[in-house]
């Protein structure tokens, strides 16, 4: 194998882009989330977390090749990939070592070399095997280990490196050699081709290439069908009526045939019900990891005070909660609406009836998600008031309810931007509307909460929602009257969102 073949497999442009993106995020998280000093954040980024990320990105394309069925037929392929991966890791180790040695002096140079070698070699231990035939938990375990090191392990690592730098270097060299031997052993690479549904980060980056993504979705659907043990729900009616209800039922069955209408809505509700407590737990966990001893009662009291119309908005923690909740609801609603508003297959019904049925199905899913979000918010506020020993009243929910009332027109208009014919106008409208939604959300929660909850504000919300619904309906109707129905969901598939 020559250099051209290796770089064709690696795709250096995508690898460099993903590396810069992920390594930059790691540095920012160390500085903001874990409150590391600039020298400490730079040292851990260049000697520990950055090399681990590059090790994953450099090894991913090779694993993708190993999981193809033709790999066992390629002569000497395993040794060739091992040789080129060793060269790549040596080059990357040098690129990390030079700035780390020049700009950081927290740990000795021998220890720094040992950490870089060990971090680059750690991904070789990942066998990428499925757990219970479905999930691959290795990435989550590595992420949990990284969070643990960033939160409580920085001090012990620095102390160990300063106490025994040459021991760290020797340990890194031995660990790297053993990782290479295990990662490219014949036993570890022999049967990878039996699990073909493995694609690296470079293959699944959105907007930069879609053929591999479409192939990956096809392989994943085929694997799901092969391993499916439950029987589907057959269509029981010999004919489809002419009413919108019958057409909506047929379109729903084509998309979610294994679940009925109410089962589908129940599933959306179960997923949505966990959004509010998950967001609150995430923010509280971030606060605890940053070293602040915030008790649950203090946290609940702060959130409840911020929820009032004239509550405090100077604390960043409470504003993060109040903006994160509607943003998560917005994202879930838009995703559910998009998946529901795309036909799974072509059916012998008119385009007008197709557009109307899909439009109604999409907004039924949105209504279910918003209703569950509002109910979950009320229940969580009740629990927080009990924990914080604050008498519950609906005034504590002023800002969250105002934010939820501002979501229906925003979701409806966001859905319509996807169905614009011109790709330029579609992306431009999506970008502008995303910025506008964030501005609308902040304005509603900070300045216009009382106006939104007043009778005039409620009337305006209803009017704006009706107007945005009509505009969205016009865009969707025009799209389905003129589009190629065999390619109706191609854009979502290219973004990595499976439709069937």
């Amino acid at each position: 194998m020559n250099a051209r073949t290796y770089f064709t497999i690696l795709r250096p442009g995508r690898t460099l882009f993903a590396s810069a993106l992920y390594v930059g995020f790691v540095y920012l998280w160390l500085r903001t989330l874990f409150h590391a000093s600039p020298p400490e954040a730079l040292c851990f980024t260049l000697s520990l977390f950055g090399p681990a990320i590059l090790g994953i990105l450099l090894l991913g394309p090779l694993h993708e090749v190993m999981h193809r069925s033709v790999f066992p037929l390629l002569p000497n392929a395993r040794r060739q990939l091992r040789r080129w991966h060793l060269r790549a890791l040596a080059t990357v180790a040098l690129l990390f070592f030079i700035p780390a040695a020049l700009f950081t002096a927290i740990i000795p140079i021998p220890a720094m070399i040992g950490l870089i070698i060990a971090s680059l070699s750690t991904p070789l231990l990942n066998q990428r095997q499925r757990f219970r035939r479905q999930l691959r938990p290795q990435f989550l375990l590595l992420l949990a280990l990284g969070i643990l090191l960033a939160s409580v392990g920085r001090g012990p690592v620095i102390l160990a490196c300063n106490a025994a730098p040459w021991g760290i270097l020797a340990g890194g060299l031995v660990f790297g050699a053993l990782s290479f031997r295990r990662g490219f052993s014949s036993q570890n690479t022999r049967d990878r081709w039996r699990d073909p549904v493995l694609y690296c980060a470079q293959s699944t980056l959105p907007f930069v290439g879609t053929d591999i993504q479409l192939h990956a979705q096809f392989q994943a659907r085929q694997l799901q069908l092969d391993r499916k043990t439950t029987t589907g729900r057959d269509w029981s009616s010999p004919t489809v009526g002419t009413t919108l209800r019958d057409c909506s039922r047929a379109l729903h069955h084509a998309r979610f045939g294994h679940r009925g209408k109410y089962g589908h809505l129940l599933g959306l509700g179960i997923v949505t019900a966990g959004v509010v407590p998950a967001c609150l737990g995430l923010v509280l966990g971030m606060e605890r990891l940053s070293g602040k001893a915030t008790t649950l009662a203090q946290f609940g009291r702060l959130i409840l005070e911020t929820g009032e119309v004239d509550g405090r908005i100077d604390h960043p923690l409470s504003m993060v909660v109040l903006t994160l909740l509607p943003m998560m609801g917005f994202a879930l609603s838009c995703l559910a609406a998009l998946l529901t508003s795309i036909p799974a297959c072509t059916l012998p019904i008119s385009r007008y009836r197709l557009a109307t049925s899909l439009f109604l199905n999409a907004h039924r899913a949105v209504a279910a998600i918003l209703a569950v979000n509002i109910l979950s918010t009320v229940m969580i506020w009740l629990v927080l008031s009990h924990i914080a020993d604050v008498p519950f009243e609906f005034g504590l929910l002023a800002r969250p309810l105002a934010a939820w009332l501002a979501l229906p027109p925003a979701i409806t208009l966001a859905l319509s931007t996807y169905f614009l014919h011109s790709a330029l106008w579609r992306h431009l409208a999506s970008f502008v509307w995303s910025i506008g939604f964030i501005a609308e959300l902040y304005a509603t929660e900070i300045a216009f909460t009382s106006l939104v909850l007043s009778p005039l504000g409620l009337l305006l919300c209803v009017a704006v929602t009706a107007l945005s619904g009509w505009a969205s309906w016009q865009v969707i109707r025009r799209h389905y009257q003129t589009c190629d129905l065999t390619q109706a969901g191609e854009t979502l598939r290219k973004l990595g969102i499976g439709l069937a």
Side-chain angles (χ1 to χ4, degrees):
M1 186 172 70
N2 54 25
R4 181 178 180 180
T5 304
Y6 174 72
F7 286 119
T8 300
I9 296 173
L10 182 63
R11 286 159 289 179
R14 300 188 186 189
T15 302
L16 290 175
F17 172 76
S19 303
L21 186 67
Y22 295 146
V23 173
F25 277 138
V26 166
Y27 178 79
L28 290 177
W29 288 335
L30 286 173
R31 291 283 293 120
T32 58
L33 180 59
F34 299 102
H35 300 285
S37 62
E40 190 178 8
L42 185 62
C43 177
F44 276 85
T45 300
L46 293 177
S47 61
L48 198 63
F49 297 112
I53 292 173
L54 263 294
I56 294 173
L57 292 174
L58 292 173
L59 186 62
L62 306 187
H63 279 174
E64 187 176 287
V65 172
M66 293 178 184
H67 281 257
R68 305 283 78 82
S69 59
V70 73
F71 180 75
L73 304 178
L74 300 177
N76 205 27
R78 177 171 58 88
R79 294 183 179 86
Q80 290 288 340
L81 291 180
R82 180 179 60 188
R83 184 179 300 118
W84 278 99
H85 188 62
L86 179 61
R87 295 171 182 171
L89 291 191
T91 304
V92 170
L94 182 62
L95 293 177
F96 274 110
F97 169 71
I98 292 175
L102 291 177
F103 301 109
T104 61
I106 297 179
I107 59 177
I109 288 179
M112 188 179 299
I113 297 174
L115 288 181
I116 292 174
I117 293 174
S119 301
L120 285 170
S121 305
T122 299
L124 288 165
L125 300 178
N126 183 7
Q127 299 183 9
R128 297 185 183 268
Q129 293 181 351
R130 292 179 181 269
F131 179 72
R132 296 186 182 275
R133 303 182 64 185
Q134 292 296 330
L135 301 177
R136 290 191 177 95
Q138 295 89 346
F139 177 75
L140 295 177
L141 293 176
L142 184 62
L143 182 62
L145 178 61
I147 293 175
L148 185 64
L149 283 174
S151 57
V152 299
R154 299 198 309 269
V157 169
I158 294 176
L159 289 176
C161 290
N162 284 282
W166 292 102
I168 297 295
L169 174 60
L173 291 172
V174 172
F175 180 80
L178 294 177
S179 298
F180 255 91
R181 181 170 182 175
R182 178 175 175 80
F184 286 98
S185 65
S186 59
Q187 179 182 1
N188 202 9
T189 60
R190 181 178 55 200
D191 294 329
R192 287 184 182 269
W193 63 273
R194 299 182 184 276
D195 183 11
V197 189
L198 187 140
Y199 297 87
C200 62
Q202 291 90 321
S203 297
T204 54
L205 284 175
F207 305 111
V208 295
T210 58
D211 292 340
I212 298 180
Q213 287 186 1
L214 297 177
H215 177 71
Q217 292 182 45
F218 173 78
Q219 292 282 346
R221 288 195 297 269
Q222 188 63 42
L223 179 66
Q224 186 177 8
L225 290 175
D226 293 341
R227 293 179 173 178
K228 186 177 180 180
T229 57
T230 58
T231 58
R233 181 180 176 183
D234 296 330
W235 181 254
S236 57
S237 301
T239 60
V240 178
T242 58
T243 64
L244 284 177
R245 180 181 179 182
D246 293 330
C247 293
S248 298
R249 180 166 169 256
L251 290 168
H252 175 84
H253 180 83
R255 166 72 60 217
F256 311 102
H258 59 289
R259 287 179 295 179
K261 178 177 65 175
Y262 298 108
H264 174 64
L265 294 179
L266 179 62
L268 289 177
I270 293 174
V271 173
T272 306
V275 170
V276 177
C279 290
L280 293 174
L282 175 64
V283 175
L284 181 60
M286 292 168 58
E287 189 78 356
R288 293 278 183 86
L289 288 175
S290 64
K292 298 180 181 180
T294 303
T295 65
L296 189 58
Q298 293 173 341
F299 177 73
R301 194 174 298 111
L302 178 63
I303 299 301
L304 294 174
E305 291 176 358
T306 310
E308 297 177 322
V309 175
D310 55 350
R312 56 182 301 185
I313 58 174
D314 56 337
H315 198 286
L317 176 65
S318 56
M319 289 308 298
V320 166
V321 171
L322 291 186
T323 54
L324 186 61
L325 292 179
M327 284 184 180
M328 291 295 294
F330 177 82
L332 281 175
S333 300
C334 288
L335 179 60
L338 281 176
L339 293 177
T340 310
S341 59
I342 304 297
C345 59
T346 55
L347 295 176
I349 59 177
S350 69
R351 289 174 176 261
Y352 178 85
R353 195 169 294 277
L354 173 68
T356 306
S357 301
L358 291 174
F359 180 81
L360 294 176
N361 286 349
H363 285 79
R364 181 175 60 196
V366 171
I369 290 177
L370 291 181
V372 172
N373 264 314
I374 293 174
L375 180 61
S376 179
T377 302
V378 175
M379 297 300 296
I380 292 297
W381 252 244
L382 277 169
V383 174
L384 289 178
S385 66
H386 176 72
I387 294 174
D389 197 18
V390 175
F392 177 79
E393 57 183 13
F394 279 98
L396 301 174
L397 287 160
R399 283 201 171 102
L401 289 180
W404 290 120
L405 289 175
L407 283 187
I411 296 170
T412 301
L413 289 179
L415 178 63
S416 65
T417 59
Y418 169 77
F419 291 96
L420 296 175
H421 279 284
S422 172
L424 175 63
W425 286 109
R426 184 166 60 245
H427 295 309
L428 182 61
S430 299
F431 174 77
V432 171
W433 185 243
S434 299
I435 301 299
F437 167 70
I438 296 175
E440 176 206 14
L441 184 60
Y442 274 98
T444 301
E445 292 185 336
I446 295 176
F448 299 105
T449 299
S450 57
L451 175 61
V452 172
L453 296 178
S454 66
L456 177 61
L458 294 176
L459 184 61
L460 286 176
C461 287
V462 173
V464 172
T465 302
L467 182 61
S468 61
W470 176 83
S472 178
W473 154 241
Q474 295 297 321
V475 173
I476 293 176
R477 180 182 60 83
R478 183 175 179 273
H479 169 78
Y480 280 113
Q481 284 181 341
T482 57
C483 74
D484 181 1
L485 290 177
T486 62
Q487 304 291 329
E490 199 66 16
T491 303
L492 281 184
R493 293 188 184 93
K494 291 179 179 180
L495 293 178
I497 302 175
L499 292 176

